[in-house]
Amino acid sequence: MFQVFKTEWFSILFSLTIISISIASAGYDLYSPNETYWFQRSGALVVLAGVELQYSAITALWPKNLERVAESSGRTSPMVAGQGFDIRGLADGAERTRTFAPRVHDTVSRGRCKETFAVGLIVVGTIIWGYGDLSFKSWS
């Protein structure tokens, strides 16, 4: 039922809809002087669009990470199996542990356009939400 929220198309349409609402509310506040400031309120929606983009990015990475964990946890320790120490197994485990931090760093810091855009929406939306009314107060 909720699988539609995890699709790439939903993320794109949702973000474009929210950005359109924000632009329309800025135009409404610019051309019809009032004390409501819909543009400022649209900042909360822009933040929501950024959060949704981040959610879809996380749900896209989740299955890949689960597969990796399942592959590495499927091995039985030689000690548990009663075979004693396995020097090669210990060396392989040490190598996996040593390369874990760089793999995590690569996953987190890899520049993805979608995630960069999501963080940008969150920052811009927060600024609009906090200070969006000030630009229209100077017009009145």
Side-chain angles (χ1 to χ4, degrees):
M1 176 180 171
F2 294 109
Q3 293 294 57
V4 70
F5 297 121
K6 297 179 183 179
T7 63
E8 192 76 22
W9 284 108
F10 178 80
S11 297
I12 292 169
L13 290 175
F14 185 76
S15 298
L16 289 176
T17 302
I18 295 299
I19 291 170
S20 300
I21 289 171
S22 183
I23 291 170
S25 65
Y28 180 77
D29 283 345
L30 189 61
Y31 293 114
S32 64
N34 57 23
E35 295 295 320
T36 308
Y37 304 118
W38 289 105
F39 180 63
Q40 180 186 15
R41 288 173 174 80
S42 72
L45 297 176
V46 174
V47 170
L48 184 64
V51 169
E52 197 283 325
L53 281 174
Q54 284 289 71
Y55 171 77
S56 68
I58 289 170
T59 56
L61 287 175
W62 189 255
K64 295 175 189 173
N65 290 331
L66 281 180
E67 288 173 8
R68 254 190 258 149
V69 169
E71 287 174 4
S72 65
S73 65
R75 301 183 185 116
T76 305
S77 168
M79 289 296 289
V80 172
Q83 298 173 353
F85 286 106
D86 179 18
I87 298 299
R88 283 193 189 128
L90 290 174
D92 289 343
E95 181 64 26
R96 281 194 308 270
T97 303
R98 188 172 37 256
T99 61
F100 176 73
R103 282 192 321 243
V104 169
H105 181 267
D106 289 343
T107 301
V108 171
S109 64
R110 189 175 300 136
R112 292 182 182 90
C113 182
K114 183 178 184 180
E115 291 159 353
T116 304
F117 187 66
V119 171
L121 281 179
I122 291 171
V123 170
V124 169
T126 304
I127 292 170
I128 291 171
W129 198 357
Y131 301 104
D133 61 330
L134 297 180
S135 59
F136 294 104
K137 285 183 180 178
S138 65
W139 289 89
S140 347

